[in-house]
Amino acid sequence: MPRRTATMLASTLILIALLCAGVLIPVPYSEMSPGPTVNTLGDARGEPVLHISGRKTYPTSGNLNMTTVRVTGADYDMNIVEAVYGWLAHDSVVVPHDTLYPDGKTEEESTQENAEEFSQSQESAKVAALEELKIPVTSRVVVSTVVKDSAAEGVLHAGDVIKAVDGTAVEQPEDVAKLVTKHEPGEDVVFTVVPAKAAAAAEKAGKEPQGSRDVTLTTRKAPADPSSPSEDRAIVGIQAGTDHTFPFEIDIKLADVGGPSAGLMFSLGIIDKLTPGKLTGGKFIAGTGTIDDEGTVGPIGGINMKLVGARDAGARYFLTPDDNCSAAASDTPSGLTLVRVKTLDDAKKSLEKIRAGDTAALPKCSVG
């Protein structure tokens, strides 16, 4: 066989071997890419995203789009070819697998966690919107979760209203932990609670929960914490949370979405529907950001992918959490104006400026 032919054959075989290796050998990476955007003022799968009953609502126009990010599943094995393609593509980003699924978290565990965060973000979005509109919301501290095999298992239940600990009234979830940790492990702590069923019946009737009872639990030592190995902290095995009673029904219907990052856009959509006039002025505005009950906007992940998704959907303005501004400004899609927001009130004021055409006065994102 001529040397030139042999060289070409060998090179071809090596190339085929490398391609096969690239396809077959998994690498510890995952991919993020722009996901769909949804107008919180519109419909999804034939149903309004925001449905409000028991209160007068007003016509809306334009778009207040929440944005999402697609990610590869926890069990998906990316190969070298896919990783290289993702690194070179502008509309996707390849990150270490542990960034999306830390501590060996399975896809099912991640989906469950995202669903819980999404549910909590909806509640906070409702509270923040109504507080912004000065509409009273009743809040109470409840048992959010009970740890398996803990002192509280079988005694306290999710949904129980916590009125007091050791006779001291609680107003915030963190009050519960502070009062419990005043004890040494092995000591008794007394919870004054209204059972979940009684609390649910009272909420349905529009009344305050009644019929409290005292429950005594013996505290246990918290599991070892590497950050503070000498600390002997007392626990009973519950996570306290906040439950809200709204003066009318606000239903957020959106399937196949998880995580807390739509909170800001849900709040703005609720405000737009509950107030006369049109918050967007007919403009196409997208955005992202977590929100708490007080209306503080927090950072999110995958900001650059959300910018691409928003631009491709037709957005002209993007409401950007303050802590994400620098990263977003470093790679902003053309035609998209980034608006910096720290609170729900900031977002409302920026929408007023956009509506009035005073875009020069908008708080813009910048690098650094």
Side-chain angles (χ1 to χ4, degrees):
M1 181 183 298
R3 179 176 295 180
R4 182 177 180 183
T5 301
T7 301
M8 290 181 63
L9 179 59
S11 299
T12 301
L13 292 173
I14 292 172
L15 179 60
I16 292 172
L18 289 173
L19 288 174
C20 289
V23 171
L24 296 175
I25 298 175
V27 291
Y29 292 97
S30 295
E31 185 179 56
M32 302 169 63
S33 59
T37 75
V38 179
N39 185 11
T40 61
L41 302 176
D43 294 349
R45 298 186 177 181
E47 289 187 294
V49 175
L50 299 174
H51 178 76
I52 299 173
S53 59
R55 182 90 174 192
K56 183 177 181 180
T57 58
Y58 298 87
T60 62
S61 69
N63 289 64
L64 285 171
N65 279 43
M66 56 156 287
T67 50
T68 64
V69 175
R70 285 195 181 95
V71 297
T72 51
D75 300 327
Y76 181 77
D77 292 325
M78 176 175 283
N79 59 51
I80 295 174
V81 173
E82 291 172 320
V84 171
Y85 181 82
W87 278 318
L88 296 175
H90 181 69
D91 60 350
S92 66
V93 59
V94 175
V95 297
H97 186 273
D98 290 346
T99 301
L100 299 179
Y101 304 100
D103 303 321
K105 188 181 297 180
T106 66
E107 188 168 352
E108 182 179 356
E109 290 170 336
S110 180
T111 299
Q112 177 63 30
E113 182 179 304
N114 284 335
E116 291 172 358
E117 290 178 340
F118 185 62
S119 178
Q120 180 56 52
S121 77
Q122 292 180 43
E123 290 298 294
S124 293
K126 297 174 190 178
V127 175
L130 297 195
E131 292 288 348
E132 182 72 21
L133 297 175
K134 312 300 181 189
I135 299 173
V137 176
T138 302
S139 302
R140 53 183 181 244
V141 178
V142 298
V143 176
S144 179
T145 57
V146 179
V147 178
K148 184 176 176 58
D149 297 327
S150 68
E153 186 180 25
V155 183
L156 295 179
H157 303 86
D160 288 350
V161 177
I162 305 172
K163 306 288 284 186
V165 176
D166 291 330
T168 301
V170 297
E171 297 181 356
Q172 302 293 335
E174 53 266 28
D175 295 342
V176 178
K178 289 178 182 177
L179 291 166
V180 170
T181 53
K182 285 184 177 180
H183 291 271
E184 295 293 329
E187 294 182 347
D188 288 344
V189 58
V190 180
F191 280 74
T192 303
V193 301
V194 177
K197 287 185 178 179
E203 181 177 351
K204 189 174 181 179
K207 299 178 180 178
E208 276 295 309
Q210 302 295 326
S212 61
R213 61 187 178 93
D214 288 343
V215 174
T216 301
L217 298 172
T218 302
T219 61
R220 299 177 183 176
K221 183 180 177 181
D225 183 351
S227 64
S228 53
S230 62
E231 182 183 4
D232 291 335
R233 185 166 53 89
I235 61 170
V236 295
I238 67 165
Q239 177 71 44
T242 305
D243 184 55
H244 305 286
T245 302
F246 300 101
F248 48 89
E249 183 180 349
I250 305 174
D251 192 13
I252 301 176
K253 293 185 177 181
L254 196 58
D256 302 326
V257 176
S261 65
L264 170 62
M265 303 312 289
F266 284 146
S267 285
L268 291 171
I270 292 167
I271 290 172
D272 199 2
K273 284 178 173 285
L274 290 174
T275 53
K278 296 172 182 177
L279 202 59
T280 68
K283 301 291 194 301
F284 195 136
I285 297 154
T288 189
T290 66
I291 202 160
D292 63 17
D293 292 358
E294 288 72 42
T296 303
V297 177
I300 52 81
I303 184 66
N304 297 101
M305 297 298 96
K306 292 186 175 184
L307 297 178
V308 173
R311 190 275 314 274
D312 290 348
R316 296 285 306 279
Y317 303 92
F318 194 93
L319 303 179
T320 312
D322 179 61
D323 289 340
N324 290 121
C325 257
S326 180
S330 67
D331 189 18
T332 307
S334 60
L336 196 62
T337 298
L338 305 186
V339 182
R340 180 189 298 268
V341 294
K342 296 182 180 180
T343 66
L344 178 57
D345 189 58
D346 286 347
K348 274 186 61 186
K349 289 176 179 176
S350 289
L351 291 180
E352 290 173 7
K353 292 181 174 66
I354 292 171
R355 194 166 63 246
D358 188 16
T359 55
L362 288 171
K364 308 249 177 74
C365 290
S366 58
V367 179

